[in-house]
Every structure is written in structure tokens, then in C-alpha cells.
Amino acid sequence: MTGAAMAGLPALLKLLAVAALAALVPLAWWWGRQRGADARARLAALTAITLFLTFDLIAFGAFTRLTDSGLGCPDWPGCYGQASPLGARSDIAAAEAAMPTGPVTTTKAWIEMTHRYLAMVVGALILVAAGLGWRQRAALPHSPWWPTATLVWVIVQGLFGKYTVTLKLYPAVVTLHLLGGLVLLGLLVLQHESFRARSSAVPVSRGAVLGVLALLMVQVLLGGWVSTNYAVLACSGFPTCNGHWWPPMAPAEGFTVLRELGRAGHGALLSFDALVAIHMAHRLFALVAVLALGALVRALWRCGSAEGRRFGIVLLVLMLAQVGSGLSNVVLGWPIVAALAHSAGAAALVAVLVSLSSRVRAGSSACPSPLAGVGRPVHRI
């Protein structure tokens, strides 16, 4: 083990202790409420708590990014080698005195470390769920490899979090970290739906729902690229961009993946036209995503059962909220409330679509596919 690793070991052990203590709070609440329940009910409740905290983690991750707190502690996993900003007071004060607006300030350090603490709590709960899944696998409605795969994925997410910091907010890594959080959310939704066993004859095909979900994930990926490159305000006004229906853009420069924050692939500063291209790609693909979601809502309403219509209403409300918060970001100059609502709304849409896809019963489709032409028949699944 290197000297640097040895020096960081005490902070890591303290961080693990903090995570364990923090995880005891939801675990104690879960155990107290589920003590008399059977194994399946206990595991279902633990998955529900983890799912709830994962959604919170995604929202708080957006808050960390929006407040420019991603480098509030410029090392990992601790803060200047300490388990909390309290132990790093002198280092933070020196950095803040040198640059009063950041990237390191006391407030930003606490925001960044709170995000890490919450991530460690989620990781601890997933570790417990994976262990219990194997121990009580007879009670599981799904393979114990599902919670194990979720544990592996949360470790991958931890590595993305590490490289987000050590690579100084490298846009590709930050975007993948966001996408990975949504994948983790989807894995937990699938497991929770498996416990509830509520497959029903919602008359749309699973393929159509997954198709809409895939389009939404592309839109989320584009939105993450906008956010991590700080391109939200590259276009002013709506529906035009800087007074143009088709403004000057440099898409090749903007969508060069392997580059540092604020830099083009050749190392020069990223041009404004590249930022406009990033923004416009997200804005234009939003039309595709909205049309696909709207078609799915229409199919659920026209052909669905009562449950299908409930899903349709939820998706419609979330879609309209997303459009509203997205427009607010542009028209009102990127207010943090609207930006947070936009990030949380995207996560909610992903969760609802994953839930819907898990409940569609094979052979239940009786209506035209939302992604097909009007009157075009759907192949049954």
C-alpha cells in the first residue's frame, strides 16, 4: 500500500463508520415496523426505503451540481483527507480565502459531503438487502442475483463519483454518473414491483413502453450533457434561440466526448457555438420525447383499464411538469427550483415507465402501439 493510501486510510475508516451509523437510522425504523412481518414483506419494505432514498440521492446530486459544489471537497472519499468538513476547517478556510466564490467554500464542502454520506447510506442498505436476499432467497419473488447486481452497480456508481471529483468534473464522467443513478433507480423499481406482484392487463405492449423509456433515456443523456457543460443559458428566448430559429452551432465540437470541462477536443476553450449546439440538441429531441410520451398517454387512456388510465394521468402530469420546468430554466434564467424540479421530474418519469413496463402482462396488448402509425396493428408479445 502506498504512503498516500495509508494516510487516507483513517479518513476512509471514519467515513465507513459514519455511513454505518447513518444507515442504522433507516434500518432501525425498518426493523421496528417490520419485526412481526414475514421475510418477503420485510425485504419488500427494505427495497421501498432504499428506492425512496435513491430518488432523494439523485435529486440531491442535482442540487450539488447546480450549486457548483461538486468540487467542494477536491479529494475523495474524504474532505482534505478528513471524514467531514469539520476536520478540514483550516484547509477549507485557506481555499475560500484564496477564491471566495469557490470552488471550495464551507457551504459547498458540506453540500458535497452530505451527498457522499447519503450515497454511502444507500450503498449500505443495498449491501444489507443483497445479504438478506441470499440468506432468505426462498422468500424472494426474483433471483437473489438481482440485489447482487444492484450492489455491483452501486459500487460502479461510487467509482463514477470518485472520478467526477478526481477528474475535475470531466463532462463525460459526470453525465455517466447521472445516467448510472437512473439505472440504479430502475433496478430498485423492478425489484419493488416484483415483491408487489401486480402484473396486470394494461393493454399496451411492453415493447412500446420500453421504446418510450429508451427515447426518454436519450433525452436525459442529452440533458445531462447540457447541465455538465453549463449550456442551459446558451440559448435565450423560446421558441427561438438567441433570436434565431436555427442559430449558429458547432455540433462536432460540442459533442466531442473525450474532453475536459470548458475545453474543446483540441484543448482550446469551448466555443459559444458549441454550447448552443448542445442546448439545441436537447431542445429538439425534447419534441421527440414529448410526442412519444403523449402517444403512450393517449393509448393508455383510450385502451387502458382503470390502472392504465391512472398511469396515463401520472405520465401526463409529469410530462407537462417537465415541459414547464424546462421552459422556466430558459425563460427565467435557470432558477435553481426549476432546475431541481427538472432533474427530479426526469427521475420520476423513468421510475414510472419502468414500473409500467414491469406490470404489462404478456399478450395483453389490444390497441395500436403508441410508437406506430395511426391504425397500424400491434404484434402481440
Side-chain angles (χ1 to χ4, degrees):
M1 185 176 289
T2 65
M6 287 293 291
L9 186 59
L12 178 59
L13 293 176
K14 289 179 182 178
L15 277 169
L16 292 175
V18 169
L21 288 173
L24 284 177
V25 176
L27 284 173
W29 183 84
W30 160 73
W31 181 254
R33 290 183 61 88
Q34 299 295 323
R35 185 168 47 187
D38 59 31
R40 177 166 174 158
R42 288 198 301 270
L43 289 169
L46 179 57
T47 304
I49 294 170
T50 309
L51 174 58
F52 173 76
L53 291 178
T54 299
F55 183 87
D56 293 341
L57 176 62
I58 292 171
F60 199 84
F63 179 73
T64 302
R65 185 171 64 255
L66 291 166
T67 54
D68 291 326
S69 301
L71 297 178
C73 288
D75 54 338
W76 190 94
C79 190
Y80 288 99
Q82 303 296 321
S84 82
L86 290 176
R89 287 191 300 268
S90 58
D91 294 295
I92 295 171
E96 192 169 2
M99 296 182 65
T101 59
V104 178
T105 67
T106 300
T107 300
K108 291 179 179 180
W110 275 110
I111 291 173
E112 168 64 9
M113 287 307 297
T114 300
H115 181 235
R116 296 185 197 179
Y117 295 148
L118 182 55
M120 288 188 289
V121 169
V122 168
L125 294 182
I126 290 174
L127 175 62
V128 171
L132 289 176
W134 282 102
R135 182 179 178 182
Q136 301 176 339
R137 53 186 175 273
L140 285 176
H142 50 257
S143 168
W145 285 108
W146 271 105
T148 303
T150 307
L151 176 61
V152 171
W153 189 252
V154 84
I155 293 171
V156 172
Q157 271 296 92
L159 291 174
F160 277 133
K162 170 186 176 179
Y163 291 116
T164 292
V165 176
T166 58
L167 295 179
K168 309 300 181 186
L169 306 183
Y170 198 82
V173 174
V174 179
T175 303
L176 287 175
H177 192 43
L178 166 64
L179 201 64
L182 295 177
V183 171
L184 178 61
L185 186 72
L187 287 170
L188 290 167
V189 169
L190 286 174
Q191 291 168 63
H192 189 245
E193 288 294 333
S194 177
F195 279 115
R196 301 173 80 175
R198 297 200 301 185
S199 176
S200 58
V202 177
V204 292
S205 72
R206 182 176 285 115
V209 177
L210 292 177
V212 175
L213 177 60
L215 291 174
L216 179 64
M217 292 299 283
V218 172
Q219 177 65 357
V220 169
L221 190 64
L222 290 171
W225 197 241
V226 170
S227 179
T228 55
N229 283 280
Y230 296 89
V232 176
L233 299 181
C235 282
S236 61
F238 185 86
T240 60
C241 172
N242 304 326
H244 301 280
W245 286 102
W246 194 259
M249 292 180 278
E253 183 182 347
F255 287 93
T256 297
V257 175
L258 300 180
R259 57 176 176 77
E260 296 180 357
L261 178 63
R263 297 283 176 177
H266 48 73
L269 290 175
L270 197 65
S271 69
F272 184 74
D273 288 352
L275 296 177
V276 172
I278 294 170
H279 181 111
M280 284 297 293
H282 182 56
R283 185 183 288 196
L284 292 172
F285 200 83
L287 295 174
V288 178
V290 166
L291 287 173
L293 279 167
L296 179 58
V297 168
R298 181 173 179 268
L300 287 168
W301 184 259
R302 288 183 61 198
C303 311
S305 59
E307 182 182 16
R309 290 190 174 190
R310 284 195 295 269
F311 266 105
I313 291 171
V314 171
L315 286 172
L316 178 62
V317 170
L318 288 174
M319 181 184 72
L320 293 176
Q322 278 298 92
V323 172
S325 60
L327 290 176
S328 297
N329 284 329
V330 175
V331 176
L332 301 180
W334 203 17
I336 191 168
V337 173
L340 275 175
H342 203 55
S343 296
L349 275 170
V350 169
V352 172
L353 285 171
V354 172
S355 175
L356 176 60
S357 71
S358 72
R359 297 196 198 183
V360 174
R361 184 186 303 160
S364 66
S365 179
C367 291
S369 167
L371 300 182
V374 177
R376 183 177 175 181
V378 165
H379 296 291
R380 295 182 181 273
I381 58 174

